[in-house]
Amino acid sequence: MGPVPTNEPRAKKKPQVTASPERRRELLDTAAEVFAAQGYNATTVRKIADAAGMLAGSLYYHFDSKESMLDEILTAFLTELWQGYDTVLAAGLGPRETIEALVTESFREIDRHRAAVAIYQKESRHLRAQPRFHYLSDSQQKFEKAWLGTLERGVAARVFRADLDIRLTYRFVRDTVWVAASWYRPGGQHSPEEIARQYLSMVLDGIAVRT
């Protein structure tokens, strides 16, 4: 038997609204700034919508949850970061040149994704315990391997001091680079390349006058 005819009106499907790539990027950039300023747990979809100048219900047309927004923000940042890092690591550079290139690429990523870096710094420890964000743990392990391996290679090649505490050096370099996301503002007095150059000069050559 076929369907029974009815005079009742059919329920209308909720229209699907697809934002242009540019608008989607704008919304994610706004969400990233709110997450970075207020913290992930304290941020609501309504707060993001208010910052974007729209109703919370309208935001749900584009993203099903704030978790989805955060996922896209962090994935975009890490994808671009590893594209740059993998290019450096595959270039066959010496240990010092590799460190210089990794630091420079890191400051470029802070310039491009300052809010995402700030979120990663604040939130990744508890986020990576969630299955959806397990890739944060994978990225952290890959990051550590790249930096520690380069430092170890430098010590073995006598480019870096033999008495260097590799893990302590890695933590110092990592933390002092990425903390820049808390104060760096794109379009400021110094380019990311200039900040990297100054930073590398202090880390690799020290700040005392050489005699």
Side-chain angles (χ1 to χ4, degrees):
M1 295 177 61
V4 178
T6 177
N7 293 324
E8 294 181 5
R10 294 182 180 181
K12 294 182 179 180
K13 290 184 178 180
K14 193 175 185 179
Q16 296 297 307
V17 178
T18 302
S20 68
E22 294 77 15
R23 180 55 175 160
R24 191 176 183 85
R25 183 72 261 162
E26 288 175 1
L27 292 173
L28 288 173
D29 287 344
T30 299
E33 292 293 342
V34 178
F35 285 136
Q38 301 188 20
Y40 176 67
N41 288 335
T43 297
T44 62
V45 171
R46 181 178 295 278
K47 288 181 179 180
I48 296 171
D50 287 345
M54 62 195 306
L55 298 174
S58 299
L59 194 59
Y60 278 117
Y61 278 118
H62 308 297
F63 305 96
D64 60 16
S65 65
K66 70 172 188 175
E67 183 182 58
S68 293
M69 300 184 78
L70 182 63
D71 190 7
E72 284 198 42
I73 291 165
L74 293 177
T75 298
F77 156 58
L78 289 174
T79 296
E80 189 171 300
L81 174 71
W82 280 109
Q83 286 173 348
Y85 270 28
D86 287 340
T87 298
V88 170
L89 296 171
L93 302 173
R96 179 176 176 128
E97 292 76 17
T98 299
I99 291 292
E100 290 173 343
L102 289 175
V103 166
T104 301
E105 189 60 37
S106 298
F107 279 109
R108 286 173 179 156
E109 287 306 310
I110 292 172
D111 180 64
R112 297 170 188 142
H113 299 284
R114 186 203 60 80
V117 173
I119 297 166
Y120 182 87
Q121 292 288 91
K122 294 177 184 178
E123 311 285 357
S124 63
R125 181 169 295 180
H126 72 265
L127 284 174
R128 59 192 181 210
Q130 302 177 27
R132 182 166 189 168
F133 294 98
H134 186 71
Y135 60 84
L136 296 177
S137 293
D138 296 337
S139 182
Q140 175 61 33
Q141 292 171 13
K142 186 178 177 183
F143 186 90
E144 185 171 309
K145 182 179 179 181
W147 283 86
L148 290 176
T150 302
L151 290 168
E152 289 168 353
R153 187 159 59 93
V155 170
R158 299 186 178 182
V159 174
F160 303 140
R161 297 198 327 255
D163 65 337
L164 207 63
D165 185 315
I166 299 298
R167 188 162 289 276
L168 182 62
T169 302
Y170 156 68
R171 289 173 176 168
F172 170 79
V173 173
R174 176 197 64 191
D175 292 348
T176 52
V177 167
W178 293 109
V179 76
S182 66
W183 54 261
Y184 179 80
R185 292 297 180 271
Q189 182 178 358
H190 300 294
S191 69
E193 290 79 11
E194 173 60 18
I195 294 174
R197 189 188 69 78
Q198 292 280 354
Y199 174 86
L200 287 162
S201 175
M202 290 185 283
V203 169
L204 296 175
D205 300 320
I207 62 173
V209 175
R210 282 170 283 180
T211 59

Tab-separated table of all heavy atoms in Angstrom, residues 7-45:
chain	number	residue	atom	x	y	z
A	7	ASN	N	-4.499	15.886	4.197
A	7	ASN	CA	-4.632	17.301	3.878
A	7	ASN	C	-3.760	18.182	4.764
A	7	ASN	O	-3.738	19.396	4.640
A	7	ASN	CB	-6.099	17.735	4.032
A	7	ASN	CG	-6.968	17.066	2.988
A	7	ASN	OD1	-6.535	16.867	1.856
A	7	ASN	ND2	-8.198	16.728	3.380
A	8	GLU	N	-3.052	17.553	5.752
A	8	GLU	CA	-2.214	18.325	6.658
A	8	GLU	C	-0.976	18.815	5.919
A	8	GLU	O	-0.374	18.077	5.132
A	8	GLU	CB	-1.791	17.474	7.858
A	8	GLU	CG	-2.957	17.071	8.757
A	8	GLU	CD	-2.488	16.259	9.934
A	8	GLU	OE1	-1.255	16.110	10.082
A	8	GLU	OE2	-3.338	15.778	10.695
A	9	PRO	N	-0.582	20.065	6.159
A	9	PRO	CA	0.624	20.578	5.497
A	9	PRO	C	1.869	19.864	5.991
A	9	PRO	O	1.962	19.486	7.157
A	9	PRO	CB	0.621	22.066	5.900
A	9	PRO	CG	-0.146	22.108	7.194
A	9	PRO	CD	-1.202	21.053	7.065
A	10	ARG	N	2.782	19.637	5.073
A	10	ARG	CA	4.035	18.985	5.453
A	10	ARG	C	4.907	19.961	6.233
A	10	ARG	O	4.932	21.155	5.947
A	10	ARG	CB	4.801	18.517	4.210
A	10	ARG	CG	4.083	17.404	3.453
A	10	ARG	CD	4.928	16.958	2.278
A	10	ARG	NE	4.262	15.889	1.534
A	10	ARG	CZ	4.802	15.310	0.467
A	10	ARG	NH1	5.965	15.707	0.005
A	10	ARG	NH2	4.139	14.332	-0.141
A	11	ALA	N	5.639	19.396	7.217
A	11	ALA	CA	6.553	20.233	7.990
A	11	ALA	C	7.681	20.703	7.082
A	11	ALA	O	8.244	19.932	6.308
A	11	ALA	CB	7.135	19.428	9.163
A	12	LYS	N	7.944	21.979	7.161
A	12	LYS	CA	9.013	22.532	6.337
A	12	LYS	C	10.377	22.223	6.945
A	12	LYS	O	10.559	22.312	8.154
A	12	LYS	CB	8.837	24.046	6.208
A	12	LYS	CG	7.599	24.454	5.438
A	12	LYS	CD	7.526	25.975	5.305
A	12	LYS	CE	6.301	26.377	4.513
A	12	LYS	NZ	6.216	27.854	4.389
A	13	LYS	N	11.303	21.860	6.081
A	13	LYS	CA	12.659	21.618	6.568
A	13	LYS	C	13.314	22.942	6.910
A	13	LYS	O	13.093	23.951	6.263
A	13	LYS	CB	13.493	20.897	5.492
A	13	LYS	CG	13.072	19.470	5.249
A	13	LYS	CD	14.009	18.806	4.245
A	13	LYS	CE	13.628	17.359	4.031
A	13	LYS	NZ	14.546	16.701	3.052
A	14	LYS	N	14.141	22.894	7.948
A	14	LYS	CA	14.872	24.091	8.347
A	14	LYS	C	15.870	24.443	7.258
A	14	LYS	O	16.658	23.595	6.833
A	14	LYS	CB	15.613	23.821	9.668
A	14	LYS	CG	16.139	25.064	10.340
A	14	LYS	CD	16.741	24.687	11.693
A	14	LYS	CE	17.173	25.920	12.449
A	14	LYS	NZ	17.745	25.578	13.772
A	15	PRO	N	15.826	25.647	6.751
A	15	PRO	CA	16.749	25.991	5.668
A	15	PRO	C	18.203	25.912	6.123
A	15	PRO	O	18.528	26.257	7.257
A	15	PRO	CB	16.363	27.437	5.327
A	15	PRO	CG	15.709	27.962	6.574
A	15	PRO	CD	15.003	26.788	7.184
A	16	GLN	N	19.057	25.416	5.259
A	16	GLN	CA	20.475	25.323	5.549
A	16	GLN	C	21.184	26.538	4.970
A	16	GLN	O	21.027	26.854	3.797
A	16	GLN	CB	21.073	24.036	4.951
A	16	GLN	CG	20.496	22.763	5.555
A	16	GLN	CD	20.800	22.654	7.043
A	16	GLN	OE1	21.949	22.754	7.448
A	16	GLN	NE2	19.773	22.468	7.838
A	17	VAL	N	21.897	27.214	5.797
A	17	VAL	CA	22.614	28.410	5.377
A	17	VAL	C	24.102	28.087	5.353
A	17	VAL	O	24.668	27.665	6.357
A	17	VAL	CB	22.355	29.594	6.326
A	17	VAL	CG1	23.154	30.818	5.882
A	17	VAL	CG2	20.872	29.899	6.390
A	18	THR	N	24.719	28.248	4.204
A	18	THR	CA	26.148	27.987	4.075
A	18	THR	C	26.879	29.310	3.925
A	18	THR	O	26.641	30.049	2.963
A	18	THR	CB	26.445	27.094	2.858
A	18	THR	OG1	25.728	25.868	3.004
A	18	THR	CG2	27.938	26.796	2.763
A	19	ALA	N	27.741	29.591	4.875
A	19	ALA	CA	28.492	30.839	4.813
A	19	ALA	C	29.565	30.738	3.749
A	19	ALA	O	30.090	29.663	3.471
A	19	ALA	CB	29.131	31.125	6.172
A	20	SER	N	29.886	31.861	3.149
A	20	SER	CA	31.012	31.879	2.219
A	20	SER	C	32.278	31.563	2.996
A	20	SER	O	32.330	31.749	4.222
A	20	SER	CB	31.132	33.263	1.576
A	20	SER	OG	31.534	34.216	2.542
A	21	PRO	N	33.322	31.071	2.321
A	21	PRO	CA	34.583	30.787	3.040
A	21	PRO	C	35.097	32.004	3.794
A	21	PRO	O	35.620	31.872	4.903
A	21	PRO	CB	35.530	30.381	1.904
A	21	PRO	CG	34.634	29.826	0.844
A	21	PRO	CD	33.387	30.662	0.906
A	22	GLU	N	34.933	33.192	3.203
A	22	GLU	CA	35.412	34.409	3.849
A	22	GLU	C	34.617	34.695	5.123
A	22	GLU	O	35.194	35.036	6.166
A	22	GLU	CB	35.302	35.603	2.891
A	22	GLU	CG	36.208	35.535	1.687
A	22	GLU	CD	35.699	34.584	0.610
A	22	GLU	OE1	34.493	34.187	0.671
A	22	GLU	OE2	36.487	34.223	-0.282
A	23	ARG	N	33.290	34.550	5.058
A	23	ARG	CA	32.455	34.797	6.233
A	23	ARG	C	32.714	33.758	7.312
A	23	ARG	O	32.765	34.085	8.505
A	23	ARG	CB	30.977	34.781	5.834
A	23	ARG	CG	30.002	35.020	6.987
A	23	ARG	CD	30.295	36.301	7.727
A	23	ARG	NE	29.286	36.579	8.752
A	23	ARG	CZ	29.494	37.395	9.778
A	23	ARG	NH1	30.662	38.008	9.938
A	23	ARG	NH2	28.517	37.605	10.658
A	24	ARG	N	32.883	32.511	6.908
A	24	ARG	CA	33.180	31.451	7.877
A	24	ARG	C	34.483	31.745	8.596
A	24	ARG	O	34.610	31.575	9.797
A	24	ARG	CB	33.244	30.100	7.158
A	24	ARG	CG	33.274	28.908	8.106
A	24	ARG	CD	33.239	27.602	7.331
A	24	ARG	NE	33.191	26.466	8.228
A	24	ARG	CZ	32.091	25.966	8.751
A	24	ARG	NH1	30.927	26.509	8.454
A	24	ARG	NH2	32.131	24.920	9.568
A	25	ARG	N	35.479	32.198	7.829
A	25	ARG	CA	36.769	32.544	8.418
A	25	ARG	C	36.623	33.698	9.402
A	25	ARG	O	37.223	33.701	10.478
A	25	ARG	CB	37.745	32.921	7.296
A	25	ARG	CG	39.158	33.248	7.716
A	25	ARG	CD	39.882	32.006	8.151
A	25	ARG	NE	39.915	31.862	9.603
A	25	ARG	CZ	40.174	30.742	10.244
A	25	ARG	NH1	40.384	29.629	9.570
A	25	ARG	NH2	40.209	30.705	11.554
A	26	GLU	N	35.807	34.688	9.043
A	26	GLU	CA	35.562	35.826	9.935
A	26	GLU	C	34.929	35.362	11.246
A	26	GLU	O	35.317	35.824	12.330
A	26	GLU	CB	34.644	36.840	9.257
A	26	GLU	CG	35.288	37.627	8.120
A	26	GLU	CD	34.278	38.522	7.412
A	26	GLU	OE1	33.096	38.527	7.831
A	26	GLU	OE2	34.667	39.198	6.445
A	27	LEU	N	33.955	34.466	11.142
A	27	LEU	CA	33.293	33.970	12.347
A	27	LEU	C	34.246	33.181	13.229
A	27	LEU	O	34.238	33.319	14.460
A	27	LEU	CB	32.097	33.099	11.965
A	27	LEU	CG	30.919	33.820	11.297
A	27	LEU	CD1	29.873	32.816	10.816
A	27	LEU	CD2	30.293	34.838	12.250
A	28	LEU	N	35.102	32.374	12.620
A	28	LEU	CA	36.079	31.602	13.388
A	28	LEU	C	37.124	32.514	14.018
A	28	LEU	O	37.566	32.281	15.144
A	28	LEU	CB	36.745	30.555	12.496
A	28	LEU	CG	35.863	29.373	12.093
A	28	LEU	CD1	36.575	28.492	11.070
A	28	LEU	CD2	35.478	28.535	13.325
A	29	ASP	N	37.527	33.558	13.299
A	29	ASP	CA	38.482	34.517	13.862
A	29	ASP	C	37.877	35.217	15.081
A	29	ASP	O	38.558	35.428	16.095
A	29	ASP	CB	38.881	35.555	12.811
A	29	ASP	CG	39.809	34.990	11.745
A	29	ASP	OD1	40.377	33.902	11.966
A	29	ASP	OD2	39.966	35.644	10.688
A	30	THR	N	36.603	35.573	14.975
A	30	THR	CA	35.922	36.198	16.102
A	30	THR	C	35.838	35.243	17.281
A	30	THR	O	36.117	35.620	18.431
A	30	THR	CB	34.501	36.641	15.697
A	30	THR	OG1	34.595	37.606	14.646
A	30	THR	CG2	33.752	37.230	16.880
A	31	ALA	N	35.457	33.998	17.003
A	31	ALA	CA	35.368	32.994	18.067
A	31	ALA	C	36.730	32.781	18.725
A	31	ALA	O	36.826	32.658	19.962
A	31	ALA	CB	34.853	31.673	17.497
A	32	ALA	N	37.793	32.761	17.935
A	32	ALA	CA	39.135	32.554	18.479
A	32	ALA	C	39.505	33.673	19.442
A	32	ALA	O	40.085	33.429	20.515
A	32	ALA	CB	40.158	32.464	17.344
A	33	GLU	N	39.163	34.905	19.081
A	33	GLU	CA	39.472	36.038	19.955
A	33	GLU	C	38.701	35.931	21.276
A	33	GLU	O	39.246	36.230	22.347
A	33	GLU	CB	39.137	37.356	19.255
A	33	GLU	CG	40.034	37.683	18.062
A	33	GLU	CD	41.465	37.973	18.467
A	33	GLU	OE1	41.724	38.270	19.659
A	33	GLU	OE2	42.351	37.899	17.589
A	34	VAL	N	37.447	35.496	21.206
A	34	VAL	CA	36.644	35.354	22.423
A	34	VAL	C	37.182	34.212	23.286
A	34	VAL	O	37.324	34.347	24.507
A	34	VAL	CB	35.160	35.132	22.082
A	34	VAL	CG1	34.341	34.947	23.357
A	34	VAL	CG2	34.608	36.302	21.277
A	35	PHE	N	37.480	33.073	22.668
A	35	PHE	CA	38.051	31.949	23.410
A	35	PHE	C	39.365	32.358	24.089
A	35	PHE	O	39.616	32.015	25.249
A	35	PHE	CB	38.342	30.776	22.472
A	35	PHE	CG	37.135	29.997	22.027
A	35	PHE	CD1	36.993	29.602	20.689
A	35	PHE	CD2	36.144	29.635	22.921
A	35	PHE	CE1	35.892	28.878	20.265
A	35	PHE	CE2	35.020	28.908	22.507
A	35	PHE	CZ	34.913	28.532	21.176
A	36	ALA	N	40.221	33.076	23.360
A	36	ALA	CA	41.520	33.469	23.891
A	36	ALA	C	41.371	34.431	25.064
A	36	ALA	O	42.107	34.358	26.052
A	36	ALA	CB	42.366	34.108	22.788
A	37	ALA	N	40.408	35.336	24.974
A	37	ALA	CA	40.233	36.351	26.009
A	37	ALA	C	39.512	35.819	27.248
A	37	ALA	O	39.867	36.159	28.381
A	37	ALA	CB	39.470	37.549	25.437
A	38	GLN	N	38.508	34.949	27.032
A	38	GLN	CA	37.650	34.547	28.147
A	38	GLN	C	37.851	33.101	28.593
A	38	GLN	O	37.352	32.716	29.652
A	38	GLN	CB	36.181	34.762	27.759
A	38	GLN	CG	35.870	36.216	27.405
A	38	GLN	CD	34.380	36.461	27.220
A	38	GLN	OE1	33.544	35.693	27.679
A	38	GLN	NE2	34.045	37.557	26.537
A	39	GLY	N	38.562	32.315	27.795
A	39	GLY	CA	38.719	30.903	28.125
A	39	GLY	C	37.611	30.077	27.505
A	39	GLY	O	36.482	30.558	27.342
A	40	TYR	N	37.920	28.836	27.159
A	40	TYR	CA	36.950	28.000	26.461
A	40	TYR	C	35.709	27.725	27.311
A	40	TYR	O	34.574	27.861	26.852
A	40	TYR	CB	37.610	26.688	26.046
A	40	TYR	CG	36.659	25.711	25.395
A	40	TYR	CD1	36.104	25.990	24.150
A	40	TYR	CD2	36.311	24.515	26.030
A	40	TYR	CE1	35.218	25.107	23.548
A	40	TYR	CE2	35.426	23.623	25.433
A	40	TYR	CZ	34.888	23.918	24.191
A	40	TYR	OH	34.019	23.040	23.602
A	41	ASN	N	35.902	27.333	28.573
A	41	ASN	CA	34.759	26.971	29.411
A	41	ASN	C	33.843	28.156	29.686
A	41	ASN	O	32.627	27.990	29.792
A	41	ASN	CB	35.255	26.374	30.735
A	41	ASN	CG	35.838	24.982	30.566
A	41	ASN	OD1	35.499	24.262	29.632
A	41	ASN	ND2	36.740	24.597	31.465
A	42	ALA	N	34.420	29.343	29.813
A	42	ALA	CA	33.613	30.530	30.123
A	42	ALA	C	32.931	31.110	28.891
A	42	ALA	O	32.032	31.957	29.016
A	42	ALA	CB	34.484	31.600	30.780
A	43	THR	N	33.325	30.666	27.728
A	43	THR	CA	32.750	31.200	26.489
A	43	THR	C	31.495	30.432	26.103
A	43	THR	O	31.474	29.208	26.106
A	43	THR	CB	33.776	31.095	25.335
A	43	THR	OG1	34.911	31.910	25.655
A	43	THR	CG2	33.177	31.592	24.029
A	44	THR	N	30.453	31.178	25.778
A	44	THR	CA	29.208	30.574	25.296
A	44	THR	C	29.003	30.956	23.837
A	44	THR	O	29.623	31.899	23.330
A	44	THR	CB	28.004	31.081	26.105
A	44	THR	OG1	27.891	32.508	25.922
A	44	THR	CG2	28.175	30.774	27.591
A	45	VAL	N	28.139	30.211	23.177
A	45	VAL	CA	27.802	30.541	21.794
A	45	VAL	C	27.208	31.948	21.724
A	45	VAL	O	27.465	32.698	20.784
A	45	VAL	CB	26.826	29.504	21.207
A	45	VAL	CG1	26.301	29.961	19.846
A	45	VAL	CG2	27.508	28.142	21.075
